[in-house]
Structures are given as C-alpha cells and as structure tokens.
C-alpha cells in the first residue's frame, strides 16, 4: 500500500534515525556553502588571471582586507571566544535534543527472537546495504578496507598543487567531483536507502509504502552467464575427460573474466578521457608517477564498480557478473 | 604602619599589643580589602596563573602559551583563520563532543555492570531511578551521533578546502584513522545496553567478520587455513561463537578503555601535527594556474 504517510513518519521519527534525517539537511547546506566559497574564490581567480598587474598587488582572498590591519590576531580572545561560543551552542543543541528525545531501549537481548528488520546503526547502513549486492567478504571486509586505504591515499594521489588551503572548484574539478560522488552520491545515498527504504526482511519499500512483515519476495536475480546461456557445452570438448563434469563451472569462471575486463577497460578509458579534458589537468596528469597513476585508476575503477553493480542488480536483476567456486562478484 | 607613633623597634609587652589590637585590625582590614579589590595580584592567583593579566600584547600571548590547556593553540592566528566560514568549527566541535562523551561516559560507568544479569537492569535503573540518569544516557547517545556527523562533515570541509595537500598529507591519514575509531567507539557502545537493538546490530555486524578472507570460517580460503566458528576472527571479537556475556565484556573494555586510549593518542598526534604543519591550512591566498610549481 502506498500513501502511508504514517509509515514514513515512523521511520523519520525513530530516534536513532534523527542523525541521518539531520544529515539530509546538513550535507546539502554544507555542499552549498562549500560551493558558495569556491565560486567566490573562482571569480577572484578569473579576475587575477585576466589582469596580471592586479595579480601582483592583490591580497588574494575574498575576505575584507585593509593593509593597515595586522595579519595575525591574538588567539586569546579572538579565537577562544569563538570556540567558547561554539561549545555553548553545541551544548545547548545537545541539551535540547537530550531533553526532548529519549535514547531508544528495546526489550532485553534475546537470541531466539530476531528483530525485523535487523539494522546496523545508521552510519554502517551503507555497508549493510552493500551486503545486498555483494558477498559478505566484499561488503563487510574488502569494501571498508578499500575505503579506509583509498581515503588515506587521496593526498598522495592528488598531484594538483592548486587549491591548497582555499576553496576552489575550477582548479580542482576532478577532486571535488570524485569526493562528491564517493561521499554523497554513493556512501550517503546507500546510508539513506538503508535507513528509509529498507523494511522488514531488508526488502525494498518505497517511501510511504506500508511495511509488511509477511511479505515474500521471489528471488528473480540471475547471473549474467545464465542470462547469456553460458553452460559449458562448447568447452567440454576440449577439456580432459576427468574435468568434463565440471565444464559448466569452469566455463562460467572463465567467461566471467570477460565482462570484468570489459568493465575495467571501459572505466579506465572513461577516467583517462576525463583526465585529458583540460590543458591544466593534462599537465597534472602527465607529471604523476606510475604508482600514483596506477593507484588512482585502481581506486576509481573500484569505486565506480559499486554504483554499476547496484544499477545492474536493481534494474536488470543481475546477481553475479563473475561466479567462481571461490568467490563471486 | 601600625607602629607609626613609636617609630622604633622597642620590644612591646603583651598588654601594649592588646591595647593596640583594635587599631592594628582596622588598618590590616583596610589593607586586605584593598588587596582583594585586585584579585589578580594576590599571591594565590599568581601562583596558579603565573603571569600578570595586563592589557599588553606580551601578556595576551603568554595567557595562551603558559596554559596547559590553551597551548594547543599558537599565541597568534591568521586573522581570516578565525572565521567560521572557513573551518566551520567542526574539528573543534568534534573534540568538544569527545570531551562531553568522556564526561558523560564516566558518569554512566558508575551505574553500569557489563554482565548479562545486570546490564539491561542497570539501564532501566538509570532511566527510572538515578537522578538525571535518563538525561545522562540521552546526552551520551546523542553526543555520540553528533560526533559521527561532525567527523564526516569535518572530513568534507578538509577535502573541499584542499587542506590535505602538502605538507598535511600525513595528518589527513591520522584523521581518517580517527574517523574509523569514532565509528568503532560508537559501534561498541551500541551493544552495551544489552537490548534487542544492540544485540542484533552487533550480530549483523560481527557476522560479516565470518566472511573475512583467510581469517573467517566462511571467507575465501578460510576453511582451507583451518578456520572454524571457534577459532576465527569473529570468535576473537566476540570472545565466543555467539554474542553473549564475553562479547558484552569485550565491547565494554574496547568501548570504555582501549579505543578511547588509542583515539587519545591519535588525537594528540593529530593536534600536534596541525601545529607542526604550520597551523590550520588557511584561508591561504589563492594561486593561479600559471604559478603552479612542477
């Protein structure tokens, strides 16, 4: 049943979901705010690029400036009073929040009564959502590891010296887009799907659709090889006799390499095309070392694989692209 | 001053002392009142704060540098770096929330036993009987959520202002680890009320550990290496094959002692590196493409 606004309200007003509801407002606000600062600086940069004489004398910030002002202020009180103010504001927010909303407490832990839906805390719902699309060792172990290593690799991959300590969009378009896609379009969207869309049985419920604990979903997901009818009949002729009973498995495992390689090449070409688009990014790209380039490609190709897989699953109902006896992707 | 009328050091008798007592007390009291009008010049005050608080640049600087808690800051900062518009104040807010969490967390520890028999009852006790116990628990819970939000938004700001660039690459890495520790702190705390919510969240979470490659009994190449439910990485996390008493104790120790200690060390490194890398990153003057060094 659609149009069940009460159901939506129940999800939104669940105390532990309040942070992600707040993030729905905070993230767009800070994204706007970052871009507001970026575009202000970009206008100044364009002005200075056009006027080398001005570039030599300009103070180079968009903030109020007076040559008679001291460049530095005393920490006490000019910084500390702001910190105190921030602490007071946060304390007030926290107090009001703690006085108006109670921390949830369910019934005592009981291993024989399963919670439905059984959900992780909101900040891990992105990973739990990935469990729907990937095997547990990928969603639960490999992806978090890659996210952590990938984040830590960012400063060492990003060879662009511009935009160090000031907001700019034009000078670091690729970096900004990469982070917006990775953090907002993938991570936060997955968190929101896990929070607002997934209901009992972790099934897909559109907003305002009533949660139904008795709902049964028929699994219609098929592997890519099943859709294309890869059954190993052609390979069994060339295999040793002893291996022939396993022909279908071997054919599937071998065939699966093809779409993975095709995806990798297409994604790499796409990234290469992006990197070559402007004169400045060509310059940055050409001075990157082999390790930097290879690392960047591996992480970007892997990151883009997540939305591609989710798209294939949700739209074309494809379960695995590459199935082997040891792992499946 | 009390001996003005004599002006000599003749030894006085006790009787004379008593006669002069009234005058002495009057004068001394006046002196004391005058002294207390300037509390900043008392011996007590100076012994604590060590410096005069006059309106002088030098003393302003010393008030920051000579204070254990304030010397995390430099004496002076870039005029534009104090703008909320640049830093959004989020790193400091995250640290403040950590302090709030330590404070409320220690208070909660006074009322909590990490045992299957007591844990859930302690929460009920906190919520219904302990004065301000419900407020305490609510504050701890929501501050934890706020801290996760603040950490993510802080990372977003640092990225968008390009603050991870040279020479701050390593501090960005420390920050990433601190974010992971924040999430782990929050997650280990989730189990402690020992209710259905925490139990199933931790069950779902730790079930993923079964599938760890090599180290989990359901992960790729795990069984080949001899992993079973009774010796794999999930067993190590839970102290057993199911989420039970040992898991509660382990979550408690990780949550209250181990991770806060590790996080404090990383925080120390993080703040120290902010200073050593030249203070906060900006707002720096904008650079032009033609000025980019190779």
């Amino acid at each position: 049943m659609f149009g069940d606004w009460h159901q939506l309200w129940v999800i939104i007003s669940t105390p532990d979901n309040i942070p992600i509801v707040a993030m729905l407002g905070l993230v767009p606000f800070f994204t706007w705010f970052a871009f507001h600062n970026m575009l202000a600086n970009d206008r100044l940069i364009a002005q200075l690029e056009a006027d080398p004489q001005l570039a030599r004398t300009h103070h180079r910030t968009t903030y109020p400036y007076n040559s008679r002002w001291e460049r530095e202020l005393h920490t006490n009180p000019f910084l500390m009073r702001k910190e105190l103010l921030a602490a007071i504001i946060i304390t007030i927010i926290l107090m009001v929040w703690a006085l108006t909303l109670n921390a949830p407490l369910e019934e005592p832990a009981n291993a024989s009564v399963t919670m439905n839906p059984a959900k992780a805390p909101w900040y891990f719902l992105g990973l739990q959502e990935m469990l729907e699309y990937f095997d547990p060792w990928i969603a639960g172990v490999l992806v978090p590891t890659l996210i952590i290593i990938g984040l830590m690799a960012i400063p060492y991959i990003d060879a662009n010296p511009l935009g160090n300590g000031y907001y700019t969009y034009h000078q670091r378009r690729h970096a900004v887009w990469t982070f917006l896609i990775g953090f907002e379009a993938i991570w936060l969207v997955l968190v929101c799907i896990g929070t607002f869309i997934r209901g009992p049985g972790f099934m897909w419920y559109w907003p305002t659709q009533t949660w139904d604990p008795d709902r049964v979903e028929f699994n219609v997901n098929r592997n890519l090889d099943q859709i294309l009818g890869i059954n190993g009949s052609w390979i069994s002729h060339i295999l040793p006799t002893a291996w022939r009973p396993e022909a279908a498995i071997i054919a599937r495992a071998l065939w699966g390499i093809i779409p993975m390689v095709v995806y990798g090449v297409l994604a790499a070409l796409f990234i290469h095309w992006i990197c070559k688009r402007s004169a400045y990014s060509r310059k940055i790209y050409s001075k990157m070392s082999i390790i930097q380039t290879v690392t960047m490609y591996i992480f970007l190709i892997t990151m883009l694989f997540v939305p591609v897989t989710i798209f294939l699953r949700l739209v074309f109902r494809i379960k695995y692209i590459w199935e082997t006896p040891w792992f499946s992707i | 001053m009390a001996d003005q009328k004599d002006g000599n050091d003749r030894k006085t008798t006790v009787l004379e002392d008593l006669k002069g007592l009234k005058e002495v007390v009057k004068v001394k009291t006046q002196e004391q009142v005058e002294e207390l009008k300037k509390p900043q010049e008392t011996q007590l005050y100076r012994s604590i704060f060590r410096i005069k608080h006059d309106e002088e640049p030098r003393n302003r600087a010393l008030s920051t540098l000579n204070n254990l808690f304030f010397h995390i800051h430099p004496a002076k900062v870039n005029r534009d770096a104090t703008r909320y518009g640049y830093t959004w104040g989020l790193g400091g807010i995250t640290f403040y929330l950590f302090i709030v969490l330590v404070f409320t967390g220690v208070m909660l520890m006074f009322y909590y036993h990490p045992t299957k028999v007591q844990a859930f009852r302690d929460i009920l006790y906190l919520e219904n009987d302990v004065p301000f116990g419900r407020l305490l628990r609510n504050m701890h819970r929501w501050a934890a959520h706020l801290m996760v939000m603040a950490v993510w938004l802080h990372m977003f700001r640092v990225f968008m202002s390009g603050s991870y660039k040279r020479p701050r690459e390593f501090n960005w890495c420390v920050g990433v680890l601190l974010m992971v520790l924040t999430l782990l702190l929050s997650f280990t705390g989730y189990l402690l009320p020992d209710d259905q919510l925490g139990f199933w969240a931790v069950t779902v979470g730790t079930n993923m550990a079964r599938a760890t490659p090599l180290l989990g009994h359901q992960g790729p190449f795990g069984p080949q290496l001899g992993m079973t439910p009774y010796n794999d990485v999930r067993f190590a996390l839970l102290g057993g094959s199911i989420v039970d008493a040992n898991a509660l104790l382990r979550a408690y120790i990780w949550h209250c002692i181990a991770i806060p200690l590790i996080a404090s060390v990383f925080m120390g490194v993080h703040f120290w590196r902010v200073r050593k890398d030249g203070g906060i990153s900006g707002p720096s003057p904008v650079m032009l493409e033609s000025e980019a060094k190779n």
Side-chain angles (χ1 to χ4, degrees), chain A residues 16 75 91 123 137 151 158 167, chain B residues 74 86 96 141 164 172 186 211:
Chain A
D16 264 352
T75 302
T91 311
Y123 40 83
W137 72 275
L151 282 172
D158 187 351
Y167 293 92
Chain B
Y86 181 70
Y96 176 66
R141 179 77 160 215
Y164 59 83
W172 163 271
S186 193

Side-chain angles (χ1 to χ4, degrees), chain A residues 26-39 41-42 45 63 151 154 158 160 162-185 188, chain B residues 85-88 90 151-165 172 281-284 286:
Chain A
L26 285 171
V27 169
F29 168 76
F30 279 121
T31 309
W32 167 81
F33 194 48
F35 269 88
H36 173 79
N37 285 328
M38 284 172 177
L39 297 180
N41 275 337
D42 285 344
I45 289 165
Y63 300 119
L151 282 172
I154 286 173
D158 187 351
N160 180 0
L162 295 182
N164 186 343
Y166 58 92
Y167 293 92
T168 171
Y169 171 68
H170 274 283
Q171 292 182 344
R172 27 193 314 256
R173 243 176 280 195
H174 301 162
V176 168
W177 274 110
T178 308
F179 201 76
L180 286 180
I181 290 171
F183 178 60
E184 294 186 7
L188 288 181
Chain B
Y86 181 70
T87 66
W88 310 347
L90 285 166
V151 166
W152 285 4
L153 292 170
H154 176 54
M155 185 176 74
F156 182 71
R157 188 287 288 181
V158 170
F159 189 93
M160 288 304 161
S161 60
S163 304
Y164 59 83
K165 298 192 177 204
W172 163 271
S281 57
S284 351
V286 298

Side-chain angles (χ1 to χ4, degrees), chain B residues 83-255:
Chain B
R83 290 172 180 278
Y84 281 121
Y86 181 70
T87 66
W88 310 347
L90 285 166
I93 286 171
T94 307
F95 182 48
Y96 176 66
L97 287 167
F98 180 77
I99 295 169
V100 169
L101 283 161
V102 169
F103 183 75
T104 52
V106 168
M107 304 270 271
L108 288 170
M109 282 172 79
F110 284 124
Y111 295 99
Y112 179 82
H113 305 74
T115 63
K116 284 302 267 188
V117 178
Q118 283 270 47
F120 188 79
R121 292 168 198 206
D122 285 337
I123 307 299
L124 292 180
Y125 178 55
L126 259 169
E127 292 206 332
N128 298 302
D129 293 305
V130 176
F132 300 105
R134 189 185 285 266
L135 181 68
L136 201 59
R137 175 162 184 257
N138 289 351
M139 278 188 77
H140 195 74
R141 179 77 160 215
W142 303 139
H145 282 337
L146 263 181
M147 187 170 162
V148 173
M149 294 159 73
V151 166
W152 285 4
L153 292 170
H154 176 54
M155 185 176 74
F156 182 71
R157 188 287 288 181
V158 170
F159 189 93
M160 288 304 161
S161 60
S163 304
Y164 59 83
K165 298 192 177 204
R166 198 175 303 187
R168 297 180 179 80
E169 304 101 317
F170 181 71
N171 217 15
W172 163 271
C173 295
V174 175
V176 171
L177 291 177
L178 277 169
M179 178 193 73
V180 174
L181 288 171
T182 307
L183 296 179
L184 289 179
L185 267 174
S186 193
F187 188 64
T188 49
Y190 221 65
L191 181 67
L192 298 184
D194 198 29
D195 65 342
Q196 284 283 70
L197 199 64
F199 178 85
W200 287 104
V202 171
T203 303
V204 169
T206 51
N207 275 351
M208 284 194 247
R210 281 178 185 164
T212 312
L214 310 178
L215 295 176
H217 72 274
Q218 288 176 359
F221 309 110
Q224 287 87 339
L225 286 172
M227 290 299 158
T228 70
Y230 306 103
N231 66 0
D232 67 350
V233 65
R234 181 169 172 275
F235 191 92
L237 289 174
L238 295 177
S241 59
I242 53 165
V243 180
D244 204 37
N246 284 349
L248 193 59
L249 184 63
R250 288 195 184 197
Y252 179 73
I253 303 291
W254 279 116
H255 184 75

